[in-house]
Amino acid sequence: MATSVWLGEDVDVTLLAANGGSPIRTERWPLWPASAPGTLDALNEVLHSGRWAISGPYQGKQSFERRFAAAFAEFHEVPHCVPTSSGTASLMVALEACGVGSGHEVIIPGLTWVANASTVAGVNAVPVPVDVDPRTLCLDPAAVERAITPRTAAIVVVHLYSAVADLDALTAIAERHGIPLIEDCAQAHGARYRDRRVGTFGAFGTFSMQHSKVLTSGEGGAVITADAALSRRAEHLRADGRTYTPHVPAVGEMELAQTAELMGSNRCLSEFQAAILLTQLELLDEQNERRRANAALLDEGLGSIGLTPQVSSPGTTHRTYYEWAGRIEDDEIAELGVERIAQAVAAELAGAAVSPGYPPMNHNRLYQPSTRARFKGRSGLDLTGYSLPVAEDAGRRFATIHHSALLGNESDMKDIVRAFEKVFANHQELRD
């Protein structure tokens, strides 16, 4: 293994920390999530407001949900945002608002979190995983085109890890076939494509605010859209068939009107979550800029020792780093298994969040519809027969680093590079 010119020092060939050796780093990493200024005041306001959810009676002051929805819509320069209880809920709301249901197929990436498949099954449609681009790991437009059938009712594109998908090609395909494009931006809050925020190119942009995300309230989500009719459908779908009243209610009255236009479910965000998100949103652009700068250091340092960084589509103007991702090029090292490599690197870094990438959807252990009674007897839900060679290769070779580490400094990035360098140089220890 060649030494790293970027570090300016030789590899320290010593026993790996995973095998009882001294680690590269003993200092702990900052905790994530981290509270934003003003969060405690906002939570205290909710606590004493007499209203902890949008479904509670109006108390004479605009809810935090309405405030966050307005701020998140403004952030994306779109007119409509509907907060939801989770990223999964946002996907379900978007799919159903677009009319997806029984007898339909939905194209999804072959490399993504399991919810993209289980959510499609959850709205009684059939997920159709297609392969990804080997450099971006996002939907391959050519594979999407080949997968379209008369039953295709939607295309879900995921902006994965730190890459933005080829939105030029995907929006053109969706428009040509008259199929709604839904952007899953759970890992891309604030990213830009051709100077527009992602989430604004499709019929809907969907977001997760789960614990690990760059914008988080522990759990939570949102959908954004430029279409007033779709937004109204989304409001009904996430609030048991209710939508905002057209006027400011009197104190003690409900702010959600029972229109009976469309049956929904309860997928609302709490006021506590909305208050947290409103304060966190103010830091998002600044934090993303710091992550981008540190990711550039990792691109150089890790790229020099055999980890090829994931790239974004050519139209990308600003990336969001939910995770830095790199492909292990050395076959001998890759044969050890990326999970074992990631564990060894994490042991060198005081438990930093270094992980293998997602498994391909045709071999995802978390996608098991046969284990739930609601899916028994439904055809098309078994994904094991799909051929996803690029996704399968990525699942074997990509290692990821959580964005919280990218909020550190240059010294922290050097520690990460040194840890990978040490593990790669001493990988034979992991064969014992």
Side-chain angles (χ1 to χ4, degrees), residues 214-374:
V214 298
L215 180 67
T216 179
S217 53
E219 288 290 354
V223 297
I224 61 172
T225 182
D227 188 306
L230 287 178
S231 178
R232 186 171 178 85
R233 287 179 61 84
E235 287 181 24
H236 283 85
L237 285 164
R238 66 88 198 222
D240 285 319
R242 297 169 293 176
T243 188
Y244 298 128
T245 57
H247 57 273
V248 177
V251 172
E253 291 184 352
M254 300 301 295
E255 195 171 358
L256 295 175
Q258 300 182 23
T259 67
E261 290 178 24
L262 179 65
M263 187 176 79
S265 302
N266 182 7
R267 300 186 179 117
C268 292
L269 191 72
S270 80
E271 283 291 275
F272 292 101
Q273 292 167 304
I276 292 172
L277 290 173
L278 193 61
T279 59
Q280 296 281 358
L281 184 59
E282 296 180 7
L283 301 181
L284 181 58
D285 279 341
E286 176 189 341
Q287 290 175 335
N288 278 342
E289 187 59 41
R290 194 185 322 168
R291 293 180 182 110
R292 278 191 288 272
N294 281 325
L297 297 177
L298 293 183
D299 285 352
E300 180 182 356
L302 294 177
S304 72
I305 63 169
L307 272 169
T308 299
Q310 177 194 27
V311 302
S312 195
S313 298
T316 306
T317 43
H318 287 86
R319 293 172 75 168
T320 290
Y321 282 82
Y322 170 65
E323 290 180 316
W324 185 95
R327 185 181 190 274
I328 300 171
E329 298 296 349
D330 187 291
D331 292 340
E332 188 176 338
I333 295 174
E335 284 173 4
L336 291 168
V338 67
E339 184 170 2
R340 196 167 186 185
I341 294 295
Q343 288 172 346
V345 173
E348 299 289 343
L349 292 171
V354 180
S355 307
Y358 295 131
M361 196 55 70
N362 55 350
H363 299 302
N364 194 314
R365 295 176 61 251
L366 297 180
Y367 180 77
Q368 298 288 344
S370 63
T371 63
R372 294 180 64 181
R374 67 180 296 188

Side-chain angles (χ1 to χ4, degrees), residues 189-206:
H189 306 70
R192 288 182 179 270
Y193 187 87
R194 304 206 181 281
D195 286 324
R196 280 173 57 186
R197 303 270 192 193
V198 299
T200 64
F201 291 81
F204 278 109
T206 72

Side-chain angles (χ1 to χ4, degrees), residues 13-283:
V13 184
T14 56
L15 186 68
L16 294 178
N19 290 335
S22 298
I24 292 293
R25 177 190 177 110
T26 57
E27 182 183 354
R28 300 295 297 180
W29 296 83
L31 289 177
W32 184 264
S35 176
T39 300
L40 286 177
D41 289 339
L43 289 173
N44 191 56
E45 183 179 338
V46 175
L47 188 64
H48 297 96
S49 68
R51 190 183 191 191
W52 290 5
I54 191 66
S55 55
Y58 183 70
Q59 297 297 328
K61 191 172 184 179
Q62 188 179 47
S63 68
F64 273 97
E65 183 196 271
R66 298 295 291 268
R67 284 185 251 177
F68 170 69
F72 204 57
E74 181 180 3
F75 181 78
H76 289 92
E77 298 180 333
V78 294
H80 306 289
C81 169
V82 180
T84 62
S85 57
S86 68
T88 297
S90 71
L91 274 173
M92 295 188 80
V93 164
L95 287 165
E96 290 199 88
C98 288
V100 176
S102 181
H104 292 150
E105 295 175 350
V106 176
I107 293 173
I108 65 170
L111 191 72
T112 183
W113 178 240
V114 65
N116 286 96
S118 58
T119 299
V120 173
V123 299
N124 292 328
V126 173
V128 178
V130 305
D131 219 344
V132 295
D133 180 279
R135 300 182 72 229
T136 69
L137 304 184
C138 298
L139 270 181
D140 179 350
V144 171
E145 189 83 66
R146 291 192 297 269
I148 291 174
T149 75
R151 296 180 298 280
T152 305
I155 300 167
V156 176
V157 55
V158 178
H159 304 302
L160 191 72
Y161 299 147
S162 70
V164 177
D166 185 348
L167 288 170
D168 289 342
L170 291 168
T171 53
I173 290 170
E175 290 170 3
R176 185 163 61 251
H177 291 275
I179 299 170
L181 179 70
I182 297 171
E183 293 179 74
D184 182 338
C185 307
Q187 301 180 5
H189 306 70
R192 288 182 179 270
Y193 187 87
R194 304 206 181 281
D195 286 324
R196 280 173 57 186
R197 303 270 192 193
V198 299
T200 64
F201 291 81
F204 278 109
T206 72
F207 295 82
S208 169
M209 282 69 164
Q210 178 267 346
H211 172 95
S212 67
K213 302 303 188 291
V214 298
L215 180 67
T216 179
S217 53
E219 288 290 354
V223 297
I224 61 172
T225 182
D227 188 306
L230 287 178
S231 178
R232 186 171 178 85
R233 287 179 61 84
E235 287 181 24
H236 283 85
L237 285 164
R238 66 88 198 222
D240 285 319
R242 297 169 293 176
T243 188
Y244 298 128
T245 57
H247 57 273
V248 177
V251 172
E253 291 184 352
M254 300 301 295
E255 195 171 358
L256 295 175
Q258 300 182 23
T259 67
E261 290 178 24
L262 179 65
M263 187 176 79
S265 302
N266 182 7
R267 300 186 179 117
C268 292
L269 191 72
S270 80
E271 283 291 275
F272 292 101
Q273 292 167 304
I276 292 172
L277 290 173
L278 193 61
T279 59
Q280 296 281 358
L281 184 59
E282 296 180 7
L283 301 181

Side-chain angles (χ1 to χ4, degrees), residues 1-4 9-14 418 421-423 425-426:
M1 177 66 66
T3 59
S4 170
E9 57 188 58
D10 291 335
V11 178
D12 181 16
V13 184
T14 56
R418 290 176 63 213
E421 195 169 26
K422 180 181 176 185
V423 170
N426 299 283

